[in-house]
Amino acid sequence: MAGSSALSLTHVTVTYADGYEAVHDVSVEVEPGEILALLGASGSGKSSMLRGIAGLEEVTTGHVLIQGEDTAGIPVHRRGCGMVFQSPQLFPHRTVGQNVAYGIERSGRSRAAVHQEVAQWLELVGLAGFAGRAVTTLSGGQAQRVALARSLAPRPRIMLLDEPLSALDRRLREELSVELRRILTQAGTAAVYVTHDHDEAFTVADRVAIMRDGRVVQVGTMSDLYGHPVPEAEGFLRAIPTVRAIAVRKLPGGGVRVVLDRSEVDLPDARGEVGDEVVVALKEHGSSH
Ligand code: ADP
Ligand code: MG
């Protein structure tokens, strides 16, 4: 549906058979092309929420709309969700290329067209030329890139990623989180990205939803969350330096320009009017301000 959100959750609750309510009254929107992170401690209900969106768990109350379509009664394979989990779950007896082709080989396209498309997806994930490789020869990071390409190839309406980097070591995780953002942004797919890692959430996502005990306690960009944290979210906002600056200009594509230490700095995800005070979170990465 034109003009609708990629994903819209209204008052979503997920209750397990034993009566345990893992997700409680969650309402959140993901805009087309937007990456939303669900950030929370283990057991806060992140995976339950993702599984509810995918149809792997039943949503007990509320509505899940994907591109404007109510998913009630729609089975997992018809929802148009691409999924990536902590373990890549590749088909061991297929090559890298055959893994990526999996979701598009019965699409009516010719073998040559599928071949070409597989090559393009592999290039996007940084594995150009890997099509003929056995998946058993890949490193953990490479395998996860293949899993990502395989999920993106059928052009899902939304990507759902559940801690895709948490099995990797810290350095690789940092490197791949920057890569993941680039790949998802270039693919243009909206995504929900589950993580318990603060840095990863803010590196990968446009906005972060902080989950606690099954509830989303706050949603926003880094400057929203650091500028106006609600008390329940503060435990998850790692102490990082912030400075206050005055907005001097609204940017045409959204965001504002501020003056910091006599230099002008554009903050594409900050909101406000000229003259407003804006909180700027200072990160070490080059990927954001
Ligand atoms: P997270 O992904 O944030 O770690 P989960 O969504 O996996 O959290 O789990 C949230 C809560 O739901 C936890 O307390 C967990 O024990 C409970 N839970 C998860 N799966 C089930 C299930 N199948 N039956 C009952 N409780 C479950
Ligand atoms: Mg989980």
Side-chain angles (χ1 to χ4, degrees), residues 103-236:
I104 53 175
E105 58 200 357
R106 279 176 297 274
S107 57
R109 273 163 278 194
S110 69
R111 270 184 70 135
V114 169
H115 213 76
Q116 167 136 25
E117 237 183 281
V118 165
Q120 284 167 356
W121 288 113
L122 285 175
E123 190 176 343
L124 180 74
V125 299
L127 293 178
F130 275 64
R133 282 276 289 271
V135 296
T136 46
T137 67
L138 300 175
S139 71
Q142 288 170 338
Q144 209 47 307
R145 287 174 192 258
V146 175
L148 192 62
R150 181 180 60 182
S151 301
L152 285 167
R155 299 183 185 276
R157 299 199 279 178
I158 189 153
M159 282 291 286
L160 306 174
L161 304 102
D162 195 347
E163 312 244 14
L165 305 182
S166 57
L168 307 173
D169 67 51
R170 172 141 204 103
R171 242 194 78 199
L172 194 55
R173 225 162 48 222
E174 282 173 11
E175 184 188 309
L176 265 182
S177 57
V178 174
E179 273 285 280
L180 257 169
R181 175 164 181 84
R182 176 191 65 76
I183 293 163
L184 291 171
T185 309
Q186 282 183 354
T189 314
V192 181
Y193 187 91
V194 163
T195 179
H196 65 273
D197 186 290
H198 175 282
D199 291 339
E200 214 178 286
F202 285 102
T203 300
V204 175
D206 297 298
R207 285 188 307 148
V208 173
I210 297 178
M211 278 196 85
R212 196 164 167 175
D213 300 333
R215 294 165 197 265
V216 167
V217 295
Q218 194 170 12
V219 191
T221 63
M222 195 169 205
S223 34
D224 294 337
L225 295 174
Y226 276 90
H228 310 279
V230 301
E232 303 95 302
E234 271 175 306
F236 245 96

Side-chain angles (χ1 to χ4, degrees), residues 42-43 45-48 162-163 194:
S42 173
K46 307 179 298 294
S47 294
S48 301
D162 195 347
E163 312 244 14
V194 163

Side-chain angles (χ1 to χ4, degrees), residues 42-137:
S42 173
S44 58
K46 307 179 298 294
S47 294
S48 301
M49 184 148 135
L50 209 67
R51 294 171 61 81
I53 297 165
L56 294 166
E57 294 303 337
E58 195 189 340
V59 164
T60 21
T61 60
H63 297 279
V64 175
L65 274 64
I66 298 178
Q67 289 184 349
E69 183 186 22
D70 195 330
T71 58
I74 299 182
V76 180
H77 63 281
R78 296 250 170 78
R79 291 192 179 195
C81 298
M83 302 195 74
V84 179
F85 300 96
Q86 183 175 331
S87 111
Q89 302 179 4
L90 300 177
F91 305 116
H93 303 300
R94 288 176 157 240
T95 61
V96 165
Q98 287 164 346
N99 266 273
V100 178
Y102 176 74
I104 53 175
E105 58 200 357
R106 279 176 297 274
S107 57
R109 273 163 278 194
S110 69
R111 270 184 70 135
V114 169
H115 213 76
Q116 167 136 25
E117 237 183 281
V118 165
Q120 284 167 356
W121 288 113
L122 285 175
E123 190 176 343
L124 180 74
V125 299
L127 293 178
F130 275 64
R133 282 276 289 271
V135 296
T136 46
T137 67

